[in-house]
Amino acid sequence: MRPIIRYTATIAVTAAVALGIAVLVFDTSSAEAQTPATAGSAAPAPAEAPPAAGSAAPGAGSAAAAGSAAAAGKPSIVEVSCDNVTPSATITGFVDTEIATGTIIKFALPPGVDVSPDNPAAAGLELKSGRPHCLRFDKDGTFLAHTASNQHAAFTARQWYDILVNKEVDDLKGGNFWMPKAVNLTADDSDLMYYAVLGLSIFFFFGIAGTVVYFCVKYRHRPGHKPQPSPAHNDALEITWTVIPTIICVFLFYYGWNTYVRVVTPPTKAVEINVLAWRWNWQFTHSNGVQDSDLHVPVNTPVRLVMTSKDVIHSFYAPVMRVKQDILPRRYTYAWFFPTKPGTYRLTCAEYCGTNHSQMGITESGRRAVVVVHEPGGYERYLSDKAAASNNKDPVELGKSLYEKKGCNACHTTDGSARVGPSWKSTFGTTVPLNDGTSVKMDENYIRESILYPQAKSRPGFPPSMPLFEGQLKEREIEGLIAYIKSLK
Ligand code: CUA
């Protein structure tokens, strides 16, 4: 037989046999791996759960209470009886503390620590030690207080989901030198592939490099040493170096292909979330219309993202989910994952999209975008509480939250310094110069037009890079932004 035929036949036969074995081995294991995903997807999708589930949860009524308290000008800290209540937290030391808005907090301060408020906003924080006090913080905010011995502390009330979002990310808990611990059901397979390829590469690198060094020493040129004749071929050796790599390649291919198919095929019953990316923010829109620039998802439920971009190419990347998918303008791309552990995880843009690419979705306080995986029931509570909270905000508060949630802060400051766009501070009512040499009064009309059609009257010294917000803001959101700009004296 000619060598070429012999080699080709060896590879073909080995590949066929190895593929057959691979199908036998992995079909059973992949069927097992699929089972939990199917089980999870069969569970009722949380998005369809009745809103009653949310309002029954503790602290759910909070948002509504906050709104009405603010509207009626009532104090935002209310003392309630400690009888028959289960406080959501107990504070035993006078230190800076974060508090979930609307929940009841028990202050059991040590004897002799009497607390007085620093400012009118903190009215209600008068606490005499000696007996426990139960307080409900009805409004978001920072409340300052001091003790008789001049200790100072800040009590910051935030919505419970904002506390989760502001947490330190859990990415680095667990995991190893190479990767954070996976929180996605299908990620274990791709991780295994990664480690398999890494292991093979290390093995062959040292194997080949070692052999080269060994041969260099063994067959080095020495005086009086005659070279031995080279063999023309060696059947046993050739079959070995053909069969073993072929088996490895076929297994890698089969396992990789199998995993890939699973990674790109979401279960049909997934929770769907729409993603819009732009320079420089994320907008996640949930089934009940709630929008946020951080991604909130339920645990143990498949989540499918339907993504598009307003301007350039971005990329959704959540390292613990092992999901990275480009987001393109004028078409939809998809990603899905099955979160297995509640927590707060890193979310970044992985495609260079301009000046603030690395900080896409960053907040004014410097916090980066995150994926929050909620405990069972938490996602439904988030949807209803968040919807209630955004309906109850006064215009300035609403504008201030939109300033971050819509990513205005990526380009506009509120402290007077110029960024990619002009600052919002102390501009209302002034006359600003335009690119065409004319000027315009900065009033409600000009702000409205500049939000919806930013390039209509653009200003010199700033690149025309702001995306259009036409059709993407509700009327009261535009009013909120105008009110916020007006408030920045
Ligand atoms: Cu968006 Cu990089």
Side-chain angles (χ1 to χ4, degrees):
M1 238 194 308
R2 304 249 303 275
I4 180 78
I5 298 169
R6 208 166 62 223
Y7 296 152
T8 316
T10 317
I11 292 176
V13 170
T14 317
V17 171
L19 191 59
I21 295 170
V23 170
L24 279 179
V25 171
F26 290 116
D27 254 14
T28 30
S29 65
S30 69
E32 279 157 19
Q34 266 315 12
T35 318
T38 330
S41 60
E48 294 158 13
S55 40
S62 62
S68 54
K74 285 196 205 126
S76 47
I77 303 174
V78 180
E79 176 145 16
V80 296
S81 161
C82 282
D83 302 334
N84 305 324
V85 294
T86 321
S88 69
T90 303
I91 294 174
T92 54
F94 190 69
V95 286
D96 290 358
T97 310
E98 207 174 41
I99 285 163
T101 309
T103 61
I104 290 169
I105 310 291
K106 187 171 182 176
F107 284 77
L109 295 173
V113 180
D114 296 333
V115 177
S116 309
D118 280 8
N119 50 7
L125 262 179
E126 298 95 345
L127 305 173
K128 285 261 175 289
S129 65
R131 73 167 178 93
H133 295 264
C134 288
L135 302 185
R136 197 180 67 222
F137 289 69
D138 279 339
K139 208 175 169 211
D140 293 6
T142 299
F143 305 98
L144 304 170
H146 61 273
T147 64
S149 56
N150 229 10
Q151 288 172 278
H152 285 262
F155 298 91
T156 305
R158 284 199 173 109
Q159 297 295 327
W160 63 274
Y161 46 83
D162 285 334
I163 292 179
L164 288 180
V165 155
N166 280 296
K167 246 177 60 176
E168 192 81 20
V169 289
D170 296 319
D171 288 46
L172 296 177
K173 291 182 190 147
N176 56 31
F177 175 79
W178 306 104
M179 285 190 282
K181 193 161 170 27
V183 179
N184 181 2
L185 188 70
T186 57
D188 290 343
D189 289 332
S190 53
D191 282 10
L192 182 71
M193 282 300 286
Y194 173 82
Y195 291 123
V197 173
L198 181 70
L200 282 169
S201 307
I202 291 172
F203 174 79
F204 281 108
F205 171 78
F206 284 107
I208 293 168
T211 311
V212 168
V213 170
Y214 172 72
F215 283 169
C216 282
V217 174
K218 179 162 186 187
Y219 298 108
R220 70 189 184 280
H221 177 74
R222 276 158 291 176
H225 210 82
K226 289 246 159 55
Q228 293 164 11
S230 297
H233 77 273
N234 181 322
D235 277 341
L237 204 56
E238 283 163 16
I239 288 171
T240 309
W241 80 43
T242 309
V243 170
I244 291 175
T246 308
I247 291 173
I248 293 171
C249 286
V250 167
F251 269 78
L252 286 181
F253 163 75
Y254 186 80
Y255 203 77
W257 169 68
N258 229 354
T259 308
Y260 175 77
V261 168
R262 215 165 325 140
V263 164
V264 296
T265 318
T268 44
K269 274 240 172 161
V271 166
E272 278 205 343
I273 299 169
N274 282 291
V275 182
L276 182 63
W278 68 83
R279 293 179 297 173
W280 286 278
N281 207 11
W282 303 99
Q283 178 177 285
F284 300 99
T285 308
H286 298 265
S287 57
N288 70 340
V290 159
Q291 294 185 327
D292 205 327
S293 50
D294 295 293
L295 176 57
H296 291 257
V297 296
V299 73
N300 289 332
T301 308
V303 175
R304 180 172 185 257
L305 304 176
V306 180
M307 311 189 288
T308 191
S309 161
K310 255 192 211 183
D311 37 42
V312 298
I313 302 179
H314 302 271
S315 180
F316 175 93
Y317 180 36
V320 295
M321 302 299 170
R322 309 287 192 268
V323 167
K324 177 149 56 172
Q325 172 62 51
D326 274 11
I327 305 177
L328 308 159
R330 295 188 207 95
R331 63 178 270 199
Y332 293 106
T333 53
Y334 312 93
W336 84 279
F337 50 89
F338 186 103
T340 53
K341 195 164 170 264
T344 301
Y345 306 103
R346 178 82 64 224
L347 159 64
T348 56
C349 176
E351 181 68 54
Y352 182 65
C353 55
T355 317
N356 291 344
H357 150 74
S358 65
Q359 303 181 3
M360 188 154 145
I362 202 166
T363 65
E364 205 49 8
S365 58
R367 180 183 63 76
R368 310 212 163 196
V370 291
V371 184
V372 176
V373 177
H374 285 278
E375 306 270 355
Y379 179 65
E380 296 83 340
R381 244 181 94 198
Y382 160 76
L383 289 185
S384 62
D385 284 8
K386 178 92 183 170
S390 51
N391 285 334
N392 278 310
K393 283 204 169 101
D394 67 54
V396 175
E397 257 181 84
L398 177 66
K400 189 172 190 306
S401 70
L402 289 170
Y403 170 69
E404 284 188 357
K405 297 290 177 204
K406 297 281 172 183
C408 312
N409 61 337
C411 304
H412 302 281
T413 66
T414 55
D415 63 4
S417 60
R419 210 174 271 172
V420 181
S423 176
W424 285 2
K425 189 182 161 64
S426 306
T427 44
F428 192 82
T430 59
T431 302
V432 294
L434 297 179
N435 266 335
D436 61 6
T438 62
S439 59
V440 66
K441 185 160 182 248
M442 174 94 166
D443 60 2
E444 287 88 346
N445 281 312
Y446 177 65
I447 298 175
R448 184 193 167 82
E449 182 183 50
S450 299
I451 294 171
L452 301 181
Y453 317 101
Q455 267 65 264
K457 294 194 179 78
S458 57
R459 291 169 57 175
F462 301 105
S465 56
M466 177 166 156
L468 270 67
F469 282 85
E470 189 197 355
Q472 304 195 17
L473 291 167
K474 296 187 193 90
E475 211 46 50
R476 54 183 286 273
E477 293 180 321
I478 298 173
E479 281 161 14
L481 284 166
I482 294 173
Y484 180 53
I485 292 174
K486 276 187 190 174
S487 77
L488 296 166
K489 299 270 156 50

